[in-house]
Amino acid sequence: MLDFPRWKVASIIGLLAVLCALAIPSFFPESSTSKWGAIPHPRINLGLDLAGGSYLLLEADTADLANSRLEVMRDSVAGTMRNGTPRIDIGDISSRNGQLSFLLRDPSQVDAARERLLAITGGGAGMSGQREWDIAVVDTSRFVLKPTEAGLTQAIDTAMKDATEVVRRRIDELGTKEPTIVRQGATRIVVQVPGLQNPQALKDLLGKTAKLEFKLVDETANPADLAKGIAPIGSQVLPYPGNPRGVPFIAVKRSVIISGDQLADARQEFEQQSNAPQVAITFDAVGGRRFAKVTTENTNKPFAIILDNSVISAPNINEPILGGRASISGNFTVQSANELAIALRSGKLPVALKVIAESTVSPDLGKDSIRAGVLASVIAAVLVIVFMFVTYGRFGVYANLAVVINILVIVAVMAMLNATLTLPGIAGFVLTIGTAVDANVLINERIREERRRGRSVIQSVELGYKEASRTIFEANVTHGITGVIMLLLGSGPVKGFAVVLLIGICTSVFTAVLFTRMMVALWLRKTRPTTINI
């Protein structure tokens, strides 16, 4: 019991001193700690309910995703039929009623066409083992491809996982602290951004699908047909709000010459001559070579820069564009150009998202919550301290010191983990204050029992810590299992509570068992009392 060498005492005191020092910045305003320079000042981030901020509920446009899958499959079918060996001649591919259909010009190629369709649809089955597309032959030479419900469900799940990560990257680019971004159900994403009082910029940024494409302009299109939405075969009509010819539509080739997937970077810059804001983009190695090749082969022809199925501009290719760089100009402000650059850097959203619910939490409400939480914590701490002192005397003082240090250690650990404190987290703090002395109650009561049995002071303390420790660890393991389950399966407030609970379990065992045992050992070794008041 008395075997606490100096190195062990110094290690425990040193560790706790460092952790308590790291907890200090969290008790000062951020405006003060930012002036501390090179001095480490980790601090706890406050959640939406404490710091105020914005809440958005996004929902995926599954109809848009289904149409996108049709377009991708349409391009794949056209490519594999017309560019394969031998070439399979087909008519125009129709995409009506949520399915694809096309006619073979040579009915004898039905089997060959089926084999190629099975190849591009994964043999008719996706990663889940279920068919993603149904392939049927009508009237001996017309193929019909229809997406299955299982395939669409799998595609939505994959798209939502990717969309969640894209949303996270875009919000991180804004420089906000500790946003909460989680999926809700099959097609929704919850976004909470503490400290952001005006969600409009966030809504504008998240509303951009950021699907960037470069396509050649179809100069054979009839302007009268464009107004009716009619384009030549192999082309499509897209809106062009800034068309200098005054017609708000333009015809472009369906084939994409280069897409935003091949971007390496996007930055907001200023045009040298007019000083107007623009977005400078840099392609990766593959995209740069592709862009150079296309612009070389199509010199003196216009091409369209398309963002989210709307043409931004349609400049003329005056000369080959080498070096893998280009710029997007238009009626941009500095803010809108920067938002577009962020959207392009973070990647395109695999599915369009729309805001279906939003709210803003006032910082004043958060201050009231913090005030109430701090008051509850102080009252709980004072009552626990008084109870422990009155009940256990000197041993109660040791337990009280352990409680105070335990609170500071929890704050320090949360600050180092860059964790977010929410209102349920404060509830976890209050609970931790009470449970932090559980271990000392068990130890002190066991010491009392040993004294009543007639054992000496040192033997009673030794057995009290030894026998109670087993019960303490078992109890905290059960608490820890509950906390881990809440952390893994919970979301939002439940996770905030679980984080504080798990940290409190670990720190309370350390302070309540090892730290108090060290203080008791040092006192016993120094005074060698023959009786104790406990």
Side-chain angles (χ1 to χ4, degrees):
M1 175 65 205
L2 300 178
D3 186 21
F4 260 88
R6 291 182 178 178
W7 68 266
K8 195 171 186 178
V9 174
S11 299
I12 295 173
I13 294 177
L15 176 62
L16 293 178
V18 170
L19 291 174
C20 290
L22 291 175
I24 293 175
S26 295
F27 296 97
F28 287 87
E30 191 171 2
S31 57
S32 300
T33 58
S34 60
K35 301 177 182 178
W36 291 7
I39 300 177
H41 49 273
R43 56 185 298 112
I44 295 177
N45 298 304
L46 298 181
L48 186 68
D49 50 359
L50 298 180
S54 297
Y55 165 91
L56 297 177
L57 179 60
L58 309 174
E59 186 173 54
D61 187 349
T62 55
D64 178 74
L65 177 62
N67 291 333
S68 297
R69 292 185 74 221
L70 281 178
E71 290 299 319
V72 171
M73 183 56 67
R74 176 178 184 160
D75 293 341
S76 297
V77 170
T80 193
M81 293 298 174
R82 293 166 179 165
N83 300 327
T85 304
R87 176 187 174 92
I88 298 178
D89 291 327
I90 63 174
D92 192 29
I93 302 175
S94 171
S95 57
R96 297 177 181 177
N97 301 323
Q99 60 186 20
L100 298 177
S101 65
F102 61 91
L103 183 67
L104 288 180
R105 302 191 188 279
D106 184 359
S108 65
Q109 294 181 308
V110 167
D111 292 337
R114 184 190 296 274
E115 290 297 325
R116 294 189 188 181
L117 290 176
L118 289 174
I120 63 175
T121 58
M127 296 178 62
S128 62
Q130 297 175 312
R131 290 196 313 274
E132 295 187 7
W133 295 85
D134 285 330
I135 304 173
V137 180
V138 182
D139 298 332
T140 70
S141 60
R142 177 173 292 278
F143 276 88
V144 177
L145 280 74
K146 185 177 181 180
T148 64
E149 287 296 328
L152 183 58
T153 300
Q154 178 67 26
I156 290 174
D157 183 64
T158 302
M160 290 302 296
K161 290 179 182 177
D162 295 341
T164 303
E165 291 306 312
V166 172
V167 168
R168 192 184 310 279
R169 289 196 297 267
R170 291 187 183 182
I171 294 178
D172 288 343
E173 287 268 8
L174 286 175
T176 57
K177 290 188 175 181
E178 288 300 310
T180 299
I181 304 163
V182 294
R183 281 184 63 180
Q184 186 180 83
T187 60
R188 293 182 176 181
I189 300 175
V190 173
V191 177
Q192 296 180 355
V193 186
L196 182 66
Q197 297 302 314
N198 182 13
Q200 188 57 47
L202 181 63
K203 288 164 58 180
D204 293 341
L205 182 61
L206 298 181
K208 289 185 175 70
T209 309
K211 180 183 178 183
L212 181 67
E213 296 174 320
F214 291 77
K215 296 182 179 181
L216 292 174
V217 175
D218 190 340
E219 298 180 276
T220 65
N222 188 332
D225 291 337
L226 289 180
K228 301 176 183 178
I230 301 175
I233 295 177
S235 298
Q236 63 183 138
V237 177
L238 292 178
Y240 185 11
N243 193 339
R245 297 182 180 181
V247 181
F249 300 98
I250 191 173
V252 298
K253 299 289 187 180
R254 286 190 178 275
S255 58
V256 179
I257 58 177
I258 194 168
S259 69
D261 296 334
Q262 295 168 313
L263 283 184
D265 193 17
R267 300 286 171 185
Q268 183 270 317
E269 294 182 353
F270 293 96
E271 205 274 327
Q272 292 183 354
Q273 296 181 350
S274 64
N275 204 35
Q278 65 178 14
V279 178
I281 57 178
T282 304
F283 296 106
D284 59 19
V286 176
R289 288 194 297 269
R290 174 67 177 165
F291 195 56
K293 181 176 182 295
V294 171
T295 54
T296 300
E297 295 174 349
N298 296 278
T299 303
N300 296 322
K301 295 181 181 179
F303 73 102
I305 302 175
I306 306 165
L307 179 67
D308 294 344
N309 293 320
S310 179
V311 177
I312 297 178
S313 62
N316 200 61
I317 304 174
N318 296 322
E319 59 185 11
I321 303 175
L322 309 177
R325 287 179 56 85
S327 61
I328 303 174
S329 57
N331 296 321
F332 289 124
T333 63
V334 173
Q335 181 179 350
S336 62
N338 187 55
E339 289 175 357
L340 175 57
I342 291 175
L344 293 176
R345 282 200 304 271
S346 61
K348 72 176 183 181
L349 282 169
V351 59
L353 299 174
K354 55 185 177 181
V355 179
I356 62 172
E358 65 175 291
S359 62
T360 302
V361 180
S362 169
D364 295 334
L365 181 61
K367 290 179 182 178
D368 291 340
S369 299
I370 294 175
R371 191 179 301 111
V374 170
L375 180 61
S377 301
V378 170
I379 293 175
V382 170
L383 292 178
V384 168
I385 288 173
V386 171
F387 173 81
M388 292 298 292
F389 177 73
V390 171
T391 306
Y392 299 112
R394 173 183 290 275
F395 286 78
V397 172
Y398 294 151
N400 291 335
L401 184 58
V403 170
V404 175
I405 292 178
N406 182 56
I407 294 174
L408 295 176
V409 170
I410 292 174
V411 173
V413 173
M414 290 185 67
M416 288 189 296
L417 294 177
N418 202 26
T420 299
L421 180 64
T422 60
L423 194 57
I426 293 181
F429 256 110
V430 177
L431 178 63
T432 301
I433 292 173
T435 58
V437 297
D438 281 353
N440 292 115
V441 171
L442 290 173
I443 293 169
N444 294 341
E445 290 297 329
R446 188 57 190 257
I447 294 174
R448 279 181 173 178
E449 290 181 8
E450 298 301 330
R451 287 292 293 160
R452 285 196 290 266
R453 292 174 181 175
R455 298 186 187 276
S456 67
V457 171
I458 294 180
Q459 287 179 329
S460 298
V461 173
E462 177 75 36
L463 289 173
Y465 273 93
K466 181 178 179 181
E467 298 299 327
S469 295
R470 186 181 303 109
T471 304
I472 293 169
F473 283 113
E474 290 175 353
N476 282 283
V477 166
T478 58
H479 290 164
I481 292 173
T482 304
V484 169
I485 293 174
M486 287 192 295
L487 184 64
L488 295 178
L489 301 182
S491 62
V494 176
K495 274 193 173 183
F497 179 83
V499 168
V500 177
L501 178 64
L502 288 173
I503 295 175
I505 289 172
C506 298
T507 57
S508 64
V509 170
F510 179 80
T511 56
V513 177
L514 188 61
F515 178 65
T516 59
R517 179 174 176 173
M518 180 193 73
M519 289 189 294
V520 172
L522 294 177
W523 173 67
L524 291 177
R525 189 164 60 187
K526 180 179 179 180
T527 61
R528 298 284 178 173
T530 57
T531 184
I532 54 176
N533 181 21
I534 187 172

